[in-house]
C-alpha cells in the first residue's frame, strides 16, 4: 500500500468518525430520550430507556389541537410545489446558460450568482407581497422559497448539463424536433441524478426553514414544522421527552427521503465536474 492510498483511507476514516460524532450520536441521544418518561429524559443521558414510551409521540401529535399534523400538511405542500417549480424552471435556465454563450447569458449568469451572495430583504419583500395580495398565503411563501433557492439550483443544473453530449440534441434536431421538444424528450430525462440531488437538498432546506415562514407566513393555521419546535420549546421546556419526540417527528421525513435518493445524490453533485 503506497502513501497516497494510506492517506485516502485515513481521510475517509476520519470523515466517517467525525460524521458519527456530529450527526449519529446527537440523533441517537434525541431518539433514546424521546422514548423515556419525563423524569428519566430530564437527566439528559444517552442510556437506553428502561421502558419504551411510544405514547410520547402520540401526546406531541395531539398537542394544541393537532398542530403538528397541520404543520406536516403545510410543510409538505410548501416543499412539494417549491421543488416542482425549481426543477422545471431551473432545469430550463441551466440548459440555456450552458448551451448558449453570449453577452446576455453572461449577464444572466452574473445576476444568478449575485442571488447567491445578496441576502433577502425582509421588509421590502413583505411590502411586495402585501401589494400583490399574497402575504400570509401559501402561494406567496412558495414563491419566496423558489426565489431563494433558484440561484443554487440553476448552478447545479448548469454544471450537470455539461456532462450531456451535444450530439444527442443534434440528432434530435435532424429528426425534426424543435428546441422545446428536444429539451423535454431528450435532455430532461437525462437529468434524473441532478434532479434527485435538487430534490433532497431543497427539501431539507425548505423543511428546515424557520425564519422565512416566521416572517412571510405567520398565523397558527399556516404553521410549519420548524415553527412547531419554536412553540414547543416554551411549552415543553421541562419535558424533554416530548421536546425530543417532536424533533424526531420533524427529522423523520427528510431522513427517509435521504435514504430513498441517496444513490443519486452524489452523482448529481459530481457529474458536472467530470466535463467542463
Amino acid at each position: 500500500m503506497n502513501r497516497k492510498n494510506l492517506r485516502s483511507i485515513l481521510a475517509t476514516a476520519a470523515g466517517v468518525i467525525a460524521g458519527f460524532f456530529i450527526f449519529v450520536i446527537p440523533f441517537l441521544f434525541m431518539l433514546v430520550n424521546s422514548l423515556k418518561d419525563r423524569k428519566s429524559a430530564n437527566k439528559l443521558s444517552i442510556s437506553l430507556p428502561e421502558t419504551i414510551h411510544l405514547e410520547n409521540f402520540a401526546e406531541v401529535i395531539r398537542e394544541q389541537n393537532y398542530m403538528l399534523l397541520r404543520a406536516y400538511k403545510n410543510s409538505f405542500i410548501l416543499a412539494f410545489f417549491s421543488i416542482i417549480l425549481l426543477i422545471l424552471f431551473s432545469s430550463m435556465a441551466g440548459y440555456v446558460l450552458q448551451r448558449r454563450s453570449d453577452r446576455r447569458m453572461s449577464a444572466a449568469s452574473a445576476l444568478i450568482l449575485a442571488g447567491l451572495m445578496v441576502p433577502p430583504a425582509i421588509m421590502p419583500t413583505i411590502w411586495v407581497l402585501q401589494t400583490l395580495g399574497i402575504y400570509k398565503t401559501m402561494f406567496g411563501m412558495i414563491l419566496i422559497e423558489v426565489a431563494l433557492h433558484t440561484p443554487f439550483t440553476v448552478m447545479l443544473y448548469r454544471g450537470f448539463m455539461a456532462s450531456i453530449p451535444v450530439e444527442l440534441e443534434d440528432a434530435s434536431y435532424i429528426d425534426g424536433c424543435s428546441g422545446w421538444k428536444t429539451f423535454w424528450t431528450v435532455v430532461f430525462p437525462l437529468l434524473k441524478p441532478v434532479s434527485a440531488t435538487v430534490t433532497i437538498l431543497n427539501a431539507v432546506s425548505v423543511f428546515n426553514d424557520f425564519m422565512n415562514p416566521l416572517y412571510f407566513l405567520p398565523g397558527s393555521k399556516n404553521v410549519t414544522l420548524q415553527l412547531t419546535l419554536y412553540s414547543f420549546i416554551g411549552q415543553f421546556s421541562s419535558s424533554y421527552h416530548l421536546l425530543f419526540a417532536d424533533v424526531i417527528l420533524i427529522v423523520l421525513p427528510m431522513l427517509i427521503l435521504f435514504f430513498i435518493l441517496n444513490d443519486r445524490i452524489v452523482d448529481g453533485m459530481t457529474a458536472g465536474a467530470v466535463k467542463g
Side-chain angles (χ1 to χ4, degrees):
M1 182 182 296
N2 57 41
R3 184 174 297 179
K4 184 177 181 181
N5 290 337
L6 181 60
R7 288 179 179 176
S8 178
I9 293 173
L10 291 176
T12 302
V16 171
I17 294 172
F20 181 80
F21 280 99
I22 294 173
F23 299 107
V24 178
I25 288 183
F27 179 80
L28 292 177
F29 172 78
M30 292 186 295
L31 180 61
V32 296
N33 280 287
S34 68
L35 298 173
K36 297 178 181 179
D37 58 20
R38 178 177 178 178
K39 183 178 179 181
S40 299
N42 286 350
K43 295 179 181 178
L44 298 178
S45 68
I46 200 170
S47 60
L48 294 175
E50 297 179 0
T51 304
I52 295 178
H53 295 270
L54 293 176
E55 66 273 11
N56 293 341
F57 296 94
E59 184 175 348
V60 169
I61 292 174
R62 289 193 299 266
E63 281 296 325
Q64 299 188 32
N65 195 22
Y66 297 91
M67 180 176 68
L68 190 64
L69 296 183
R70 295 198 308 272
Y72 263 113
K73 182 191 73 171
N74 292 333
S75 291
F76 273 115
I77 291 174
L78 179 60
F80 177 79
F81 286 104
S82 297
I83 291 169
I84 292 296
L85 292 178
L86 281 167
I87 290 175
L88 291 177
F89 294 121
S90 298
S91 61
M92 290 188 286
Y95 174 70
V96 174
L97 290 173
Q98 175 60 37
R99 292 297 190 251
R100 292 180 57 181
S101 56
D102 52 38
R103 291 183 177 179
R104 287 184 297 177
M105 293 302 102
S106 298
S109 296
L111 186 62
I112 291 173
L113 287 174
L116 292 172
M117 298 177 286
V118 179
I122 303 300
M123 295 308 298
T125 304
I126 292 177
W127 178 80
V128 171
L129 294 176
Q130 289 176 333
T131 303
L132 297 175
I134 55 176
Y135 181 55
K136 297 183 182 180
T137 66
M138 183 61 67
F139 176 70
M141 191 65 240
I142 290 172
L143 294 183
I144 293 292
E145 295 291 356
V146 171
L148 292 176
H149 294 91
T150 289
F152 179 67
T153 306
V154 170
M155 292 298 102
L156 281 179
Y157 274 111
R158 182 181 181 182
F160 186 87
M161 211 72 67
S163 66
I164 299 177
V166 181
E167 291 77 11
L168 293 175
E169 300 162 46
D170 295 337
S172 176
Y173 294 139
I174 293 173
D175 290 339
C177 293
S178 63
W180 184 260
K181 188 175 181 180
T182 296
F183 175 77
W184 290 112
T185 60
V186 177
V187 177
F188 189 75
L190 300 175
L191 301 178
K192 289 181 181 179
V194 70
S195 294
T197 303
V198 166
T199 298
I200 184 64
L201 293 180
N202 288 324
V204 170
S205 181
V206 173
F207 259 77
N208 291 336
D209 193 355
F210 171 77
M211 297 301 297
N212 292 308
L214 180 65
Y215 289 131
F216 305 123
L217 195 66
S220 58
K221 293 183 179 179
N222 300 326
V223 65
T224 58
L225 286 175
Q226 295 303 318
L227 294 183
T228 65
L229 182 60
Y230 179 70
S231 176
F232 288 162
I233 284 176
Q235 183 177 353
F236 300 146
S237 58
S238 60
S239 303
Y240 285 106
H241 61 308
L242 299 180
L243 186 61
F244 289 137
D246 180 54
V247 174
I248 294 298
L249 290 173
I250 291 175
V251 171
L252 198 59
M254 291 301 99
L255 193 62
I256 295 173
L257 184 63
F258 173 79
F259 283 118
I260 292 174
L261 300 178
N262 180 47
D263 293 338
R264 296 180 179 269
I265 292 174
V266 176
D267 292 338
M269 290 291 290
T270 60
V274 177
K275 278 189 169 184

